[in-house]
Amino acid sequence: MYKQLQQRNMASPPVNVSTLRQMKADAEPIACLTAYDASFAQLVDMAGTDLVLVGDSLGMVIQGHDTTVPVTVDDVVYHTRIVARGLRRGFLVADLPFMSYATPEQALDNAVRLMQEGGAMMVKLEGGRNQTAVVECLARHDIPVCAHLGLKPQSVHKIGGFKVQGRERGAADKMTDDALALQNAGADLVLLECVPNEVGKTITAALEVPVIGIGAGPFVDGQILVLYDILGITQGRTPRFVQNFMHGRDSQLAAIEAYVTAVKDRSYPAKEHCFS
Ligand code: KIV
């Protein structure tokens, strides 16, 4: 009974929502990565990653699609379940894929699947204040939620490409208002993708909940990158914010540890990884 818990290292207890909030309060950077299978999840966990996301980026890096749009709830449930087996300490977040949260009822059904069948501890969804009813419904049922703002990859066909968001004053102000509305609706975490440093800074200062950035500059509470990008597996052009941590290292574990250290000592992201 409780085998999973007995195997945990209590000198380094599992991360939970309170841990993440405390890290924000203590100004301790939160190191996050994606993972899609048990073996990599184990490495990511051993390296000290605080939060592990089963992102719908799996559609691009695992399945070979050009976007995240084709990913299904079944896909995310499967990958979450196998990632969960590799984790001892990391906080496990899973993405609600495209069109799996169009109504509060649908979001609830699918979030329950990610948690019960996959073992997720939090679900992530994309959207601004248009998603407050969905976030309120999940929060009312004690389902932890991460709200993804800025560049929303599930909207790529509507936006017309993977572009930096919030460069104009009006758009930046709207994003800050959206972040506050989502926090007020019950979101426990906000993820900001591809925004100028100043937008990351403003939203992080405005919110009580932690803000995790990907291409959102150095002033957010934590950083996340796609695992295959930091290991140099991704071929072709990578986004400006990506750093290949395999350079000069001879193992995946050493590279992941170097990423975690760089997030913690704030040497990542450097100027060349940021947008203005
Ligand atoms: O799907 C994903 O991996 C993500 C990251 C880009 C943060 O949402």
Side-chain angles (χ1 to χ4, degrees), residues 34 36 53-58 68 95 124 126 148 153 191 193 214 224-226 241:
T34 65
Y36 313 100
L53 170 69
V54 180
D56 57 2
S57 52
L58 71 86
T68 60
D95 262 348
K124 176 163 83 61
E126 296 181 9
H148 184 148
L191 189 145
E193 178 162 355
I214 176 164
I224 187 163
L225 285 175
V226 168
F241 52 76

